[in-house]
Amino acid sequence: MITRCTQCIETPEPTTLALVKINRKEVMLAKLRKSCSCTPQKLKNFVMDFFPVLRWLPKYRCKEYIWGDIMSGLVIGIILVPQAIAYSLLAGLKPIYSLYTSFFANIIYFLMGTSRHVSVGIFSLISLMVGQVVDRELLLAGFDLNDDAPPALGDGSLQNDSFSNTTAFNLTIVGINAECGKECYAIGIATALTFVAGVYQVLMGIFRLGFVSMYLSESVLDGFATGASLTILTAQVKYLFGIKIPRSQGHGMLVITWINIFRNISQANLCDVITSAICIVVLVTAKELGDKYKHKLKFPLPTELVVIAVATLVSHYGKLNEVYGSSVSGAIPTGFIPPKVPEFNLMLRVAVDALPLAIVSFVFTVSLSEMFAKKYAYTIRANQEMFAVGFCNIIPSFFHSFATSAALAKTLVKTSTGCQTQVSGVISAMVVLLVLLFLAPLFYSLQKCVLACIIIVSLRGALRKFRDVPARYHVNKMDTLVWVVTMSASALVSTEIGLLVGIVFSMLCIIVRTQRPRTALLGQIQDTNFYEDDLEYKNLSTVPKVKIFRFEAPLYYANRNYFLKSLYRLTNLDPNLEAARRKKYEKKEKQHLKKGNHRTVNGLGIGETTLQLVPKQIDFQALVVDCSSISFLDTTGVNTLKEILKDYKNLNISVLLACCNPSVIDSLKRGGYFGRDFECMQEMLFYSIHNAVLFAKDQKLPADCSV
């Protein structure tokens, strides 16, 4: 039983309150002065926190770490090159921009990241989201989305690619005063989108809005990734068959694309079909063997690089483009294009699209960072990770790069090849730099169908989520429904809408769970002091004259009616209806007495009437409410408990609360549930169900304990 301490609830003297307020004000002012002051030590700490490399690099154990970092960096760099070239198809951009993205992201994360193992760079889902925005804006600007448009003339710079489409387009309507071709406008949209996404991430870090990621549950993220993977796969099928169909845009892209594929399947390029079949067989076989013998291999097989090298040689010497009309990557310039500030007017056009991009990029990066930090027993700073990924987008956007994120597959490879610190990222960047400066032109004859094969095989992990659906359904049906809805919306509508639908639907599921939670009447486990649901367990004993009701959710405005309906249904008594029935009965009795009839309507004497006022269906004298699952009460919840206390009291039934947490007790006190001076608190509130049951058996609620 909870007892009351009178000293604890006495009102302090006014002078004491004044002193407390003054002290609190002084403390707040002192903290404010301290936080706003700028000392050399604080400035040094700020710089070192903003660039974590300044803290860990001086402590770098060269002999212990260097070989693992070099090995993992080389392997990731070798994997990055073919993936960067392949993912350029998803982003709707030239391969050179993907290589820029991979290079700058690794360098910046080396300086600002706190995770030792995460591989930040080009990522398929992010590339897809960028590509969808780029394609939409190209269509709105009047460009043709045909991938096989004539190649750009000139030196490959942005200023000299106005012939990269059949028609040039003067972009003065969006603030660009120079004539700009398709490639120029596409990378302009991508860099503007990337810059805005990075700004969002930095702002989220400044205002500490990392909690936003909590609303992306595992089911939402998995469903989003799987749905986006279906979209990615669909977008690559046309390259597998060498079919020239328009790139679909807008809602329902997946369905429209498949319809166009089947309509044009007769135009398939035999050379591309054979090449695709061979590449997929080789890649899948190598991946399966790698997974099977990964414990024996010191590092993963560079299958993608080997496939690209062999396919490029075959295409070049076999002249597959000239003889069979197979689509190839085309010229990839060497060196770096001069930096350029993203166009402000283009930022306004893509500001809304950048928000989901920023959230997805941040969530994947932080979740992977936390996962591997926990695995290898070190800590990361989530807020710094948001700054790191934000500047991995902001700074590269000036160098013709697009959005980046951490990628699970490359991170797993990185850890399996001995990665120790972020130095591994610098080694990977050097490999990409080597390709950028010298080797890029060698990929001219590489077929696009080979790149599509690499992308499709990389989706194996996400597509395998379909096999987990039965197990997921067995664990939690509601989470499975969230996964299915998110996946379907991401695949059939669009990735951005799918993510939004997943978040909203997940929240609605939580609301539904709290609106219609489980309720139960409890019975006593024989020879114990414990009580459980009598429908879930057998051989439970009912407590005579006592009903024990459990409500497994917070009690608030949205589930108030369900709480009352469940209580009345399980106890088989609605106190309001019973009170109305009694009033009606008493009214009839009074009418009979006025007529001089001393017999009641039931033929009983007046002395026997009292017995009839207590209906036979009321088989209990006390109601115990198990509040162990009620995490909080709002004003409506407190009023609901006060209401049932009053209604049951009118029927001479005691209402006792058990297992309330401090938050609920505080809400009840402030709501006046225990009376003005808490005089009846010790007879209405109990630490355990068993204490409440014993009290109900031995005593009755005093008549003066009312609300």
Side-chain angles (χ1 to χ4, degrees):
M1 228 187 301
I2 292 180
T3 56
R4 177 173 60 92
C5 177
T6 25
Q7 294 180 354
C8 297
I9 59 174
E10 289 180 355
T11 306
E13 295 295 330
T15 54
T16 306
L17 286 175
L19 288 173
V20 171
K21 288 183 179 178
I22 292 172
N23 292 336
R24 186 177 297 174
K25 183 177 179 181
E26 289 178 354
V27 170
M28 291 179 64
L29 288 174
K31 288 183 178 180
L32 188 62
R33 282 194 296 268
K34 185 178 179 181
S35 62
C36 293
S37 63
C38 182
T39 62
Q41 184 61 38
K42 288 190 68 174
L43 183 61
K44 178 183 176 182
N45 290 337
F46 172 78
V47 172
M48 296 188 75
D49 287 340
F50 198 71
F51 296 102
V53 65
L54 299 177
R55 290 190 184 275
W56 63 261
L57 191 58
K59 303 175 184 178
Y60 187 80
R61 303 174 189 173
C62 190
K63 292 182 179 179
E64 184 179 346
Y65 293 160
I66 190 65
W67 293 114
D69 285 338
I70 289 177
M71 177 60 70
S72 62
L74 288 174
V75 172
I76 292 298
I78 291 170
I79 293 174
L80 267 177
V81 172
Q83 281 195 351
I85 298 173
Y87 289 168
S88 63
L89 296 179
L90 294 176
L93 301 169
K94 297 296 181 182
I96 188 67
Y97 303 124
S98 300
L99 294 172
Y100 290 159
T101 301
S102 299
F103 173 75
F104 286 109
N106 278 283
I107 295 295
I108 295 170
Y109 192 81
F110 163 76
L111 298 173
M112 301 186 65
T114 60
S115 174
R116 303 173 191 171
H117 299 91
V118 160
S119 176
V120 175
I122 194 166
F123 183 37
S124 58
L125 296 184
I126 302 298
S127 300
L128 174 68
M129 297 176 74
V130 171
Q132 289 179 335
V133 177
V134 168
D135 287 351
R136 184 196 68 204
E137 293 299 323
L138 286 175
L139 281 176
L140 292 176
F143 287 107
D144 181 15
L145 294 183
N146 181 15
D147 294 314
D148 297 314
L153 300 177
D155 60 358
S157 68
L158 293 180
Q159 287 78 18
N160 296 318
D161 67 349
S162 59
F163 297 98
S164 64
N165 201 304
T166 52
T167 58
F169 186 70
N170 194 314
L171 296 178
T172 53
I173 61 169
V174 290
I176 301 177
N177 295 319
E179 194 173 86
C180 188
K182 175 185 172 183
E183 181 184 343
C184 166
Y185 190 49
I187 190 59
I189 290 292
T191 55
L193 178 68
T194 301
F195 181 86
V196 177
V199 170
Y200 285 156
Q201 289 166 335
V202 171
L203 290 176
M204 289 168 68
I206 292 174
F207 294 105
R208 300 187 179 275
L209 298 179
F211 69 88
V212 173
S213 63
M214 294 187 299
Y215 295 101
L216 295 177
S217 66
E218 182 181 349
S219 300
V220 172
L221 285 176
D222 283 349
F224 170 73
T226 307
S229 298
L230 291 176
T231 304
I232 293 171
L233 185 148
T234 300
Q236 302 309 304
V237 171
K238 67 175 185 178
Y239 297 111
L240 297 183
F241 293 99
I243 301 172
K244 293 178 173 58
I245 58 175
R247 296 178 66 171
S248 304
Q249 265 297 305
H251 304 328
M253 183 272 283
L254 184 139
V255 176
I256 296 172
T257 301
W258 279 106
I259 292 174
N260 288 332
I261 288 172
F262 286 115
R263 282 179 177 174
N264 297 274
I265 195 69
S266 58
Q267 302 175 10
N269 187 302
L270 185 60
C271 177
D272 284 342
V273 172
I274 295 174
T275 303
S276 300
I278 295 173
C279 289
I280 288 178
V281 169
V282 172
L283 289 169
V284 171
T285 303
K287 293 290 184 183
E288 294 296 330
L289 291 175
D291 292 342
K292 186 175 181 179
Y293 299 104
K294 61 182 177 182
H295 299 295
K296 297 182 179 180
L297 296 173
K298 293 184 178 180
F299 56 88
L301 299 173
T303 314
E304 292 91 345
L305 189 64
V306 173
V307 168
I308 281 184
V310 173
T312 303
L313 291 173
V314 172
S315 176
H316 176 74
Y317 290 105
K319 298 183 178 181
L320 301 185
N321 176 247
E322 295 83 353
V323 177
Y324 300 101
S326 182
S327 181
V328 296
S329 298
I332 304 177
T334 56
F336 288 91
I337 299 174
K340 183 180 179 182
V341 178
E343 293 293 337
F344 179 76
N345 288 317
L346 293 180
M347 296 180 198
L348 298 179
R349 297 176 67 91
V350 298
V352 176
D353 303 289
L355 185 58
L357 184 68
I359 294 175
V360 172
S361 173
F362 159 70
V363 168
F364 274 101
T365 302
V366 172
S367 59
L368 285 178
S369 300
E370 290 177 343
M371 177 174 34
F372 285 94
K374 183 179 180 180
K375 181 177 179 180
Y376 291 96
Y378 64 93
T379 58
I380 64 154
R381 289 184 287 128
N383 213 52
Q384 179 61 26
E385 286 296 300
M386 194 172 313
F387 285 127
V389 73
F391 282 100
C392 280
N393 287 325
I394 291 177
I395 297 174
S397 67
F398 290 85
F399 297 90
H400 315 288
S401 303
F402 54 91
T404 59
S405 171
L408 176 60
K410 290 194 288 289
T411 302
L412 290 173
V413 172
K414 200 173 182 180
T415 56
S416 66
T417 50
C419 174
Q420 298 292 332
T421 66
Q422 294 93 317
V423 171
S424 172
V426 177
I427 305 299
S428 301
M430 294 303 103
V431 175
V432 176
L433 180 64
L434 181 67
V435 175
L436 277 170
L437 295 180
F438 305 107
L439 305 179
L442 299 179
F443 296 102
Y444 177 91
S445 299
L446 177 61
Q447 294 167 272
K448 288 185 177 180
C449 64
V450 176
L451 300 177
C453 291
I454 293 174
I455 293 174
I456 291 174
V457 173
S458 71
L459 301 176
R460 288 162 59 246
L463 296 177
R464 280 177 175 171
K465 297 289 183 181
F466 285 104
R467 297 193 310 187
D468 300 335
V469 172
R472 188 189 294 269
Y473 182 80
H474 179 72
V475 173
N476 193 300
K477 297 179 178 61
M478 192 67 76
D479 283 348
T480 307
L481 184 60
V482 171
W483 183 89
V484 170
V485 170
T486 308
M487 182 273 299
S488 302
S490 300
L492 299 177
V493 185
S494 69
T495 51
E496 294 85 354
I497 297 297
L499 183 63
L500 180 61
V501 168
I503 295 173
V504 173
F505 187 75
S506 180
M507 291 181 177
L508 288 177
C509 288
I510 295 174
I511 294 172
V512 169
R513 286 178 181 179
T514 59
Q515 278 189 314
R516 301 185 67 85
R518 285 189 58 180
T519 56
L521 280 185
L522 307 186
Q524 186 176 14
I525 302 175
Q526 294 181 2
D527 302 323
T528 69
N529 298 336
F530 302 104
Y531 299 79
E532 277 300 340
D533 186 353
D534 55 6
L535 295 179
E536 293 290 333
Y537 298 90
K538 297 180 180 179
N539 302 322
L540 298 182
S541 302
T542 58
V543 182
K545 303 297 182 180
V546 178
K547 296 283 188 182
I548 308 170
F549 175 72
R550 175 183 288 169
F551 188 75
E552 299 182 0
L555 181 55
Y556 66 113
Y557 68 94
N559 60 16
R560 171 189 182 276
N561 291 334
Y562 185 75
F563 174 86
L564 294 175
K565 288 180 180 178
S566 300
L567 175 62
Y568 299 159
R569 174 176 53 83
L570 292 174
T571 59
N572 198 25
L573 174 64
D574 186 336
N576 296 313
L577 294 178
E578 180 60 23
R581 191 196 69 80
R582 290 189 177 189
K583 287 181 180 179
K584 184 178 180 181
Y585 186 86
E586 290 174 357
K587 184 177 180 181
K588 289 184 178 180
E589 290 299 314
K590 289 179 181 179
Q591 291 176 353
H592 279 275
L593 290 174
K594 284 182 180 180
K595 293 178 181 179
N597 186 356
H598 295 283
R599 306 295 293 180
T600 65
V601 291
N602 291 331
L604 300 173
I606 297 175
E608 298 169 293
T609 305
T610 308
L611 296 175
Q612 291 294 319
L613 293 178
V614 181
K616 293 181 180 179
Q617 64 265 29
I618 300 182
D619 56 351
F620 62 99
Q621 297 176 353
L623 172 67
V624 178
V625 180
D626 177 12
C627 301
S628 59
S629 299
I630 300 178
S631 56
F632 69 87
L633 297 171
D634 68 351
T635 304
T636 304
V638 174
N639 291 335
T640 301
L641 292 179
K642 291 167 68 175
E643 179 184 329
I644 65 170
L645 177 65
K646 179 181 177 181
D647 292 342
Y648 280 106
K649 181 178 175 55
N650 292 335
L651 302 180
N652 295 322
I653 298 175
S654 308
V655 177
L656 311 176
L657 305 182
C659 306
C660 296
N661 64 47
S663 172
V664 170
I665 295 174
D666 185 58
S667 298
L668 292 171
K669 285 180 179 179
R670 288 186 279 107
Y673 182 83
F674 303 111
R676 292 184 178 180
D677 298 321
F678 312 141
E679 69 274 2
C680 296
M681 182 174 173
Q682 67 274 17
E683 297 175 347
M684 302 167 67
L685 189 63
F686 300 85
Y687 280 119
S688 69
I689 298 174
H690 191 63
N691 286 345
V693 170
L694 293 179
F695 180 82
K697 287 181 177 180
D698 297 340
Q699 301 181 33
K700 293 183 179 180
L701 197 67
D704 59 346
C705 288
S706 58
V707 179

